[in-house]
Amino acid sequence: MKQYVYSFKEGNKDMRVILGGKGANLAEMTSIGLPVPQGFTVSTEACTAYYEDGKQISPEICAQIDNKLAELEAETGKKLGDPTNPLLVSVRSGARESMPGMMDTVLNLGLNDEVATGFTKITNNERFVYDSYRRFIQMFADVVMGFPKSSFERKFDDIKEEKGVEFDTDLTAEDLKEVVTIYKEEYKKHAGVEFPQDPKVQLMEAIKAVFRSWNNDRAITYRRLNDIPGSWGTAVNVQQMVYGNTGDTSGTGVAFTRNPATGEKKLFGEYLMNAQGEDVVAGIRTPQPIATLNDVMPECYEQFCKVCDILEEHYRDMQDMEFTIENGKLFMLQTRNGKRTAQAALKIAVDLVNEGMITKEQALLKVEPRQLDQLLHPNFEETSLKCAQVVATGLAASPGAATGRIYFTAEDVIEAHKNGVQDILLVRLETSPEDIEGMNIAHGILTIRGGMTSHAAVVARGMGTCCVCGCGSLRVDEEAKVLMTPDGKKYHEGDYMSLDGSTGNVYGERIKTVEPEISGDFETFMSWADDVRTLKVRTNADTPRDALQARKFGAEGIGLCRTEHMFFEEERIFNFRRMITAETVEARKEALEKILPYQRSDFKELFKAMEIYPVTIRFLDPPLHEFLPHTDEEIRPLAESLGMTFDALKARVESLKEFNPMMGHRGCRLAVTYPEIAEMQTRAVIEAAIAVNKEGQNVVPEIMIPLVGDIKELKYVKDVVCKTADAIIEEAGVELPYKVGTMIEIPRAALTADEIAKEAEFFSFGTNDLTQMTYGFSRDDAAKFLNEYYTKNIFESDPFAHIDENGVGQLMQIAINKAKPVRPDIKLGICGEHGGDPRTVEFCHRIGLTYVSCSPYRVPLARLAAAQAAVKEKMGK
C-alpha cells in the first residue's frame, strides 16, 4: 500500500519532494534531537490525489491519517477531543519551496465547548484557554469555511472598545468567554449551522482547506512569479500545539541566524511574550528585538542561540526559524533556508565560503538569479537626499530606494499601472497575502503596522522590493485614501512620496535616483560564476549607452542590435518616410543615402563600446507601416514636408496597411522587395567596421537576416549583402572577415534548419516571434486572456516569459540537431526576452547554445543562471 502520511520520526531533510520543505525540516530537526513538538505530515502526493479525486480525500488516505493520529496520541499521552487530557494540534501548509503567507494555517484545533471547560481545569488558566478558543473559531471560519475575517475582527474590536482596553492581552477570561459566544453566533450566521464540535471533523476539514489553499489566487500568483509548478501540491503538517500565550513565562517568535537584509552574521529576529505565532507575523502587536529575550528569559535565550548554531551548521545556510516558549520551555516549530535580500544573499554566500562551510560552486546555488536585479537599479542621489525632509521613520524592512505616487490598495495599484502610471508606492495599514499582485507591481511598500518579519517585510525581501514597515507615527485612512504625518500634513492618492528601505526613512516628496555601483561581494561572487559557466552572455543593445551599460554588467558582445530603433529620431524618420513613400528605386536610394551616415555612425559607436566582443546587427525587421503616421492630423504636415499631396500620402499609407502586420511584409521580405535597404545597411556595417579597425580594433561584424522561412529567401538576401560587402572591402584594400546568419523565428525555419545552415553561419533564436507563431497568438494581445489560463490551470506561466520547452523548445532542439551536421562550427544563440529568464537560460545550456542575449540589466542574472546550469549539470541535478 502506498504511504501518504508520515510521522516526523519517519522523514528527513532530503524528502522535501514528498513531505514539503516544512515537513522535511521538522523531521530532520526531530532526528538530530532538537525540541520539536511531534506530529505527522500528509504528503504532497496526497494533495495531488485530492485534486485527482475531485477534491476528496480518499478512504485510504483518511485511514492513514487516523493511524498517525493514534500514534501521536499514544506518544503524547493525550487524545483529540478528550476534555480530561486533550490533544490540540496546528494544521499548517508546507510546499517544496517556501511560499510565506500564501497558503493557510489553522491553530488550536481540537477545542470545543467541552474541551475548553476541561482544559481550563487542567491548566488552571481560563484566560489562556478562551483566548485560544476564540482564535481557533476565527481561523476555522476564515481558512476552512471562507467566511470574511473582517466580520470577526469587527466584533473583537467592539468588545475591546466596550471594555475600554487597547490590547487583546488586556481582556479578561470573562471577556474572552463572551468573545467565544459572539464568534459562535457569527459563525452560525454565516454557516447556517453550529460551529463543529467534533475534533475529527475539524481536523479533516482543516486538511482539505490547506489542500484547497494550494490553488487560491494569491498562491497561484506567487507560483507564477517564482516559477513554482502547480503540479507539486502542498503537504500538510499536523503538529501538537505548544502555547506561547499561557502567560508571562511564555512567548513566540521568528528569528534568522543572520540578518536577512544585510547578511551580517548576527542573530536577527523578534518575539512577543504571551502571544501566538500569528501575532508576530500579522503585525497586530509590535514585537521586541530577539536580543532582549536574554533579559527576559536568559536560559531560553542561551538554549535558542545554541539551536541556531546547530541548525546553520547542519544546513550550511542562513536559517529562518519559528519558535515558541511554553511556561519557560523552548520548542522549535520550523526551520528553513531564509528568504534574504540580494545584498544579504551575496554576503552570506561569500562569507560561508570564507568560513569553510561550503564550496564556491555550492555558493553559486545560494543566490536566486532574479535577486541580482535588486542591486542593479537606482538608489537616492546623495545631494537630493540631503535636501529632502524625513516625514516619518519606520523599520528598514527591505533595502533599496523607491519614489512614486501613493496608492492605498493593491487593486488601486493594479489599476494605476494599467493606466500608465510608472512609479507606484503601495501604502497599507498592514499587507495581507491577498495584496500579492499589487505588491509585485509596486516599486515600494509602506506599512503602518508590522515588524521585520511581518508579511510585508518577508514578501518584499523575496521580491527585491523596497519596504518600510511598522511606521506607527503615520496615520492612514484607507477608505478616504489619505496618509497623515505626525505634524498633520496630508498626502492623498496620487501624491508623490519616497521610501528608503535601507534606513526606514519616509520622505514626502519625489527624490532623484542614481545608478548603483557594482563591487565587493558582488564582484567576487560573479567572478566565481564566470569561472564555471560555459554559456556566453551577450546583450540586446541599440545604442552606445545601452552597450556600455551592458559591458559594465559583464556582457560579452551584442547578440541583437535592432536597427529599426535607430530610425526614429526626427531627421532620420523624415528621410526614412521619404524612402517608404518613394515610387521609384532611384528615389528610395536617394532617401537611403541620407540615412547611411547615421547608421554608419551608430554602428561605429557600438563596435567601439563592445571593443573585442562580437556585435550582431539585425537588418530591418518591422512592417513599414509602423514608421508612418496614421491620422489626418499627422499625415497633413508630413505630406507638405515631403512635397506630396495629402491625398497621395494618405493613399500610400493606406496601401501599406496589413490585416496581420506581424506576419506580413516585414523582415527579410522587405529586403527581397526592396534590396536597396539591405544594400544601405550592409554599407553602413562594413564601412563602420573598416573605420574602427583602422583605429586598432579587430571587429568581425555579424549580419543577421530576420524572419527567414525558406533557404531561397536567405540566399537571395545574403547574395545582396555579400556582393555589397565584398565590393566595399575590395575598394578599401583591406581584409575584413564578416559573418551572415539568420534568426530562427518561424517554425518552418526550425524544421528546415539543415537546408538553412548551408547559407547561415550562425543562428539566433528569436523566441518572441517563434513563441507567438508556434502558439498562434499575439504576444501583444495574449495578456488579455492568459489570466484565465492561469486560474484554470491551463498554463502555469506566461510562455513569453519562460520558454515553452515542450513546444518551442522542441523546435529549437530540432533546428540544432539538423544544423550541426551541416555546419559543425555554427554559432547558436537566443535573443528574445527569454534570454534573461533563468529557467530559459538553464534550458539553453542543456541544449548546447553558444550564448544567450538579453537586456543590459539582465546580464548579471543570465551570467549567474548560466553558472548555476553548469554546476547543476556537474552535480547531476
Side-chain angles (χ1 to χ4, degrees), residues 258-266 341 343-345 347-348 351:
R258 302 185 189 221
N259 189 312
T262 66
E264 182 187 6
K265 190 177 181 180
K266 183 180 176 184
T341 64
Q343 177 188 347
K347 178 170 175 51
I348 290 168
D351 285 354

Side-chain angles (χ1 to χ4, degrees), residues 393-557:
T393 301
L395 301 173
S398 184
T403 189
R405 299 180 186 275
I406 60 171
Y407 292 87
F408 294 87
T409 69
E411 293 75 17
D412 288 341
V413 166
I414 295 163
E415 189 61 30
H417 181 67
K418 282 181 185 170
N419 292 332
V421 180
Q422 295 298 310
D423 300 321
I424 298 173
L425 303 182
L426 173 63
V427 178
R428 300 285 278 148
L429 198 58
E430 65 211 12
T431 64
S432 70
E434 284 77 12
D435 295 326
I436 181 72
E437 195 170 351
M439 293 172 77
N440 184 53
I441 290 170
H443 289 71
I445 297 164
L446 171 64
T447 68
I448 310 308
R449 295 180 186 160
M452 296 292 279
T453 53
S454 65
H455 175 265
V458 171
V459 174
R461 281 197 293 269
M463 289 176 165
T465 301
C466 164
C467 180
V468 175
C469 278
C471 199
S473 63
L474 294 171
R475 283 190 294 152
V476 64
D477 185 334
E478 291 179 346
E479 280 190 27
K481 299 182 179 178
V482 174
L483 180 72
M484 189 179 295
T485 62
D487 62 3
K489 185 170 182 183
K490 292 182 178 179
Y491 292 86
H492 300 84
E493 181 180 85
D495 288 346
Y496 272 102
M497 296 189 82
S498 297
L499 308 176
D500 190 336
S502 303
T503 63
N505 287 340
V506 179
Y507 302 89
E509 59 200 271
R510 192 175 188 176
I511 303 175
K512 190 178 175 185
T513 56
V514 293
E515 297 298 321
E517 289 184 9
I518 307 301
S519 59
D521 291 334
F522 188 102
E523 213 163 28
T524 301
F525 185 82
M526 293 310 295
S527 71
W528 298 345
D530 292 339
D531 286 343
V532 302
R533 68 182 168 89
T534 56
L535 199 61
K536 299 292 184 185
V537 178
R538 299 192 193 181
T539 190
N540 301 337
D542 316 319
T543 66
R545 190 186 72 174
D546 284 350
L548 289 167
Q549 184 64 71
R551 281 290 300 118
K552 282 183 188 173
F553 289 153
E556 300 159 300

